[in-house]
Amino acid sequence: MTKLSVNINKVATLRNARGGNVPDVLKVAQDCENFGADGITVHPRPDERHIRRSDVYALRPLLRTEFNIEGYPSREFIDLVLQVKPHQVTLVPDSPTQLTSNAGWDTKAHFTFLSEVLDAFNNAGIRTSVFVSTDAEMIEYAAKAGADRVELYTEPYASAYAGNREAAVAPFVEAGKVARNLGLGLNAGHDLNLENLNYFYQNIPWLDEVSIGHALICDALYLGLERTIQEYKNCLR
Ligand code: PXP
C-alpha cells in the first residue's frame, strides 16, 4: 500500500496570515487523519513562516498516523527532530529563504555531512529519507550514507506530464528500480496532484509514500478536505 502523507504547511500559512489560530493547524491535522490520511508532513523553516516549532511539538502527541518532519538539517532542525522523535525525517537541501524545495541533494558532494546527520537519526530510531533527483548516483550515495529511504523530487515529472506522460515517468521508474535494488524504501513528492498521481503510482506501485501539500489543500477549497483526501487515496489504488 502506498501511503498518503498530507503536508499541512499551507494550512499554517493561511493561519499565519491573520495572526490568530484560524484555521487550527492541529485540528486540521487530526481531521486529515480521520478522513483517511496515512500520515502528516510538516516542514518547519527557520523563519517559521508557515509551520512553527511550537506546532511540531504540539502535533507529536496528537497524531495517530505517521509523522514526517522534513527540512534542512541545521543544528536547530536536528535538535528539534531528536526531541520530537517523529516516525520519519526527510532531509532536504533547502536554503533558509527558499520559497519551496526545488532540487534534490547532491549526495556525493555532501556525503560526509549527510552520513553524520543520518547516523544521529538512525541511532535515535527515526526512519530517514533523503530528497533526491532521479540520478542513480545520487540514490547510490544516499544509500551509502545510511538513508532508509529516498524521496524522489517529482516536479520534473509533474511539469512534463501534460506533454508526454510516458517520457515523464520513465526516469522515475528507473530511479525507483535503483532504489529498490539497493534495499531503499521509496517516497515521492512535489507537485503531485489529482491529475498526475494515479499514473505515477501505476508505473511505480512499490512506492511506499507520497507527500502532498499544495495541490491537495487547493483542491480542498473546491471539494472539501474529506472528499479531497478520499480522491487522493483513490489515486493510490
Ligand atoms: N516533499 C518535499 C521534500 C517538499 O519540500 C514538499 C514541499 O514542501 C513536498 C514534498 C510537497 O510538495 P507539494 O506542496 O508541491 O505537494
Side-chain angles (χ1 to χ4, degrees):
M1 191 191 102
T2 302
K3 292 186 167 173
L4 170 66
S5 186
V6 174
N7 179 319
I8 58 168
N9 266 44
K10 210 99 295 159
V11 178
T13 306
L14 192 57
R15 175 199 61 191
N16 297 353
R18 274 293 174 98
N21 195 35
V22 178
D24 181 337
V25 170
L26 306 183
K27 180 170 186 318
V28 172
Q30 289 176 292
D31 287 339
C32 286
E33 292 186 319
N34 291 334
F35 298 153
D38 305 298
I40 299 294
T41 292
V42 295
H43 190 146
R45 291 179 192 269
D47 60 6
E48 300 199 312
R49 66 180 187 265
H50 21 59
I51 284 290
R52 301 175 184 140
R53 291 172 64 85
S54 55
D55 296 324
V56 180
Y57 289 112
L59 281 163
R60 184 65 181 102
L62 295 180
L63 298 183
R64 294 178 292 105
T65 61
E66 287 211 351
F67 192 21
N68 174 44
I69 306 180
E70 60 180 38
Y72 179 81
S74 62
R75 188 66 253 169
E76 293 71 30
F77 178 86
I78 294 171
D79 290 344
L80 175 70
V81 173
L82 289 175
Q83 278 169 27
V84 172
K85 283 202 197 303
H87 300 89
Q88 177 175 273
V89 60
T90 301
L91 306 184
V92 294
D94 289 13
S95 70
T97 53
Q98 208 155 306
L99 191 60
T100 182
S101 317
N102 62 0
W105 283 95
D106 183 337
T107 51
K108 191 175 177 184
H110 298 282
F111 179 74
T112 308
F113 172 63
L114 285 173
S115 303
E116 285 168 11
V117 173
L118 289 168
D119 245 21
F121 292 135
N122 289 333
N123 289 338
I126 302 167
R127 192 174 70 225
T128 53
S129 180
V130 172
F131 196 51
V132 289
S133 69
T134 53
D135 183 334
E137 197 180 32
M138 296 302 118
I139 300 169
E140 283 158 14
Y141 272 87
K144 271 192 211 163
D148 297 309
R149 294 186 182 185
V150 285
E151 177 178 333
L152 297 177
Y153 172 51
T154 46
E155 191 280 334
Y157 163 74
S159 54
Y161 178 86
N164 181 344
R165 64 184 193 168
E166 290 84 359
V169 84
F172 289 85
V173 175
E174 287 315 304
K177 287 180 185 164
V178 171
R180 188 171 59 185
N181 293 338
L182 289 164
L184 291 169
L186 188 66
N187 296 346
H190 228 285
D191 297 293
L192 295 173
N193 60 34
L194 284 177
E195 223 180 302
N196 62 34
L197 179 60
N198 180 251
Y199 188 73
F200 193 81
Y201 166 73
Q202 277 179 21
N203 280 275
I204 314 174
W206 64 94
L207 200 56
D208 289 298
E209 178 189 291
V210 289
S211 141
I212 306 182
H214 185 78
L216 189 152
I217 300 302
C218 293
D219 289 332
L221 290 176
Y222 287 92
L223 306 176
L225 193 53
E226 182 165 14
R227 185 170 148 208
T228 300
I229 289 175
Q230 289 306 316
E231 295 214 1
Y232 276 83
K233 293 274 292 180
N234 287 339
C235 292
L236 299 171
R237 290 193 179 111

